[in-house]
Amino acid sequence: MTKTLLCGRFTLDLSRPLVMGILNATPDSFSDGGRFNRLDEALRRAEAMLAEGADILDVGGESTRPGAPYVSPEEELQRVLPILEKLRDIGAPISLDTRRASVMREALRLKAVDLINDVSALEDEGALEAVAASRAAICLMHKQGSPDTMQDRPDYQDVVAEVGAYLQRRVRLCLDAGIVRERLLADPGFGFGKTLEHNLALLGRLDEVERLAGAPQLVGLSRKSMLGVITGEETPAERLGASVAAALESARRGAAVIRVHDVKATRQALQVWSALQKSLR
Ligand code: HH2
């Protein structure tokens, strides 16, 4: 399997797991109102995450949490474009978390986005073409149902086989559209239409998902509600230990990119794990 990711302006080495730091551009994620304050704060957070060891920054303007309010494409663009412009020359790969073709097109035009992170795996009309026409990498994520109803009653015969087969079909579609395999990441989509048992099966058999998908895996487990179910911790920000444990387990099972809120703690855990791996070789 490929060991590098062609990621817009960057070529990333996948021989060790990369840390993707989450930068939410939703209004409630920054402290106060003024546009310039918000932009400065986004830049400060981005710089802080890079200093803590983030390899990629993931900017998102729409929450996909179950029950999250609707955000129009115009509003999503208003949230993310100024931040992307501000981050353009920060010297690290910038990912844009969006499922809308129109948002992808506008953002890619800025030449500030190196990776499109799509929880809908390019299902929006025109999304495949938008990415194919660019040099950006693409993360194809699996979900069952839509964010507002997906946790109602997730149902699979064999979750690993079904998620793997879906990702394989989406990877094939990209290859057929001329997007080379070195630009592709796949993601089982933890918590997106999955029960705790489904999530655990996918994490435990991540290597199998990767084999079926035919692309390196990006995983997002940070602070997710499945960790709350396991630990009984209701406050997402209090799930640091659980998130780090999940990140380490993902690394052990071959994850290429780990999407997290807490960069410093995750990076430290991965450094210890990598040192041990090296010493065992
Ligand atoms: N999870 C969320 C958003 N984007 N992208 C990928 N590739 N994989 C994921 O698991 C994933 C994702 C969850 O989003 P949200 O609930 O809005 O919260 P946050 O962005 O703070 O993680």
Side-chain angles (χ1 to χ4, degrees):
M1 191 139 302
T2 167
K3 280 286 169 214
T4 55
L5 180 69
L6 299 180
C7 190
R9 299 164 291 173
F10 299 83
T11 299
L12 304 180
D13 177 7
L14 298 183
S15 59
R16 65 164 176 89
L18 301 180
V19 174
M20 171 185 262
I22 299 168
L23 190 68
N24 280 321
T26 46
D28 51 344
S29 59
F30 295 113
S31 57
D32 64 276
R35 178 168 173 264
F36 290 105
N37 284 346
R38 278 209 309 276
L39 282 179
D40 281 346
E41 189 159 344
L43 182 63
R44 269 202 305 279
R45 283 207 198 170
E47 285 169 343
M49 283 197 281
L50 293 178
E52 289 174 1
D55 301 289
I56 306 172
L57 299 173
D58 189 39
V59 178
E62 184 207 22
S63 176
T64 40
R65 240 175 237 120
Y70 173 80
V71 177
S72 71
E74 294 73 27
E75 191 176 340
E76 190 183 341
L77 273 170
Q78 265 172 27
R79 291 176 180 183
V80 297
L81 286 186
I83 293 182
L84 293 174
E85 255 173 38
K86 193 96 179 168
L87 299 185
R88 177 170 26 210
D89 299 317
I90 203 163
I94 305 298
S95 161
L96 175 63
D97 189 338
T98 186
R99 48 192 175 140
R100 289 179 168 132
S102 59
V103 176
M104 291 176 199
R105 269 194 300 272
E106 288 298 316
L108 286 166
R109 229 196 297 272
L110 283 182
K111 303 265 184 262
V113 171
D114 303 290
L115 192 163
I116 295 289
N117 174 23
D118 183 1
V119 301
S120 289
L122 300 180
E123 288 200 17
D124 194 21
E125 202 183 324
L128 177 67
E129 293 74 10
V131 172
S134 78
R135 294 174 57 206
I138 167 73
C139 177
L140 303 160
M141 199 197 81
H142 173 275
K143 62 172 167 47
Q144 187 178 82
S146 62
D148 42 337
T149 55
M150 66 193 178
Q151 287 307 106
D152 289 355
R153 211 177 318 155
D155 183 35
Y156 302 85
Q157 297 285 325
D158 178 340
V159 69
V160 170
E162 286 167 49
V163 169
Y166 171 83
L167 294 175
Q168 192 174 80
R169 285 197 300 277
R170 303 310 291 176
V171 163
R172 172 47 52 201
L173 209 70
C174 287
L175 295 173
D176 290 347
I179 304 173
V180 294
R181 203 180 282 275
E182 289 72 22
R183 284 171 62 195
L184 303 179
L185 294 169
D187 180 340
F190 292 101
F192 285 81
K194 281 127 194 150
T195 63
L196 175 60
E197 286 66 34
H198 296 141
N199 288 319
L200 290 175
L202 288 164
L203 179 57
R205 292 162 64 193
L206 194 66
D207 50 346
E208 223 174 304
V209 180
E210 176 174 347
R211 221 174 24 254
L212 290 168
Q217 298 294 296
L218 184 154
V219 300
L221 285 155
S222 182
R223 300 185 180 179
K224 285 210 168 147
S225 63
M226 68 173 270
L227 303 179
V229 175
I230 294 171
T231 59
E233 179 55 69
E234 283 177 19
T235 311
E238 295 296 324
R239 296 174 189 153
L240 175 60
S243 300
V244 171
L248 267 186
E249 203 47 41
S250 311
R252 260 172 36 80
R253 295 176 192 281
V257 183
I258 303 177
R259 181 182 183 273
V260 301
H261 300 85
D262 303 288
V263 171
K264 189 169 184 174
T266 309
R267 170 57 73 212
Q268 283 186 0
L270 291 174
Q271 280 168 330
V272 172
W273 176 76
S274 294
L276 178 62
Q277 295 302 105
K278 225 181 261 168
S279 83
L280 294 174
R281 261 187 230 133

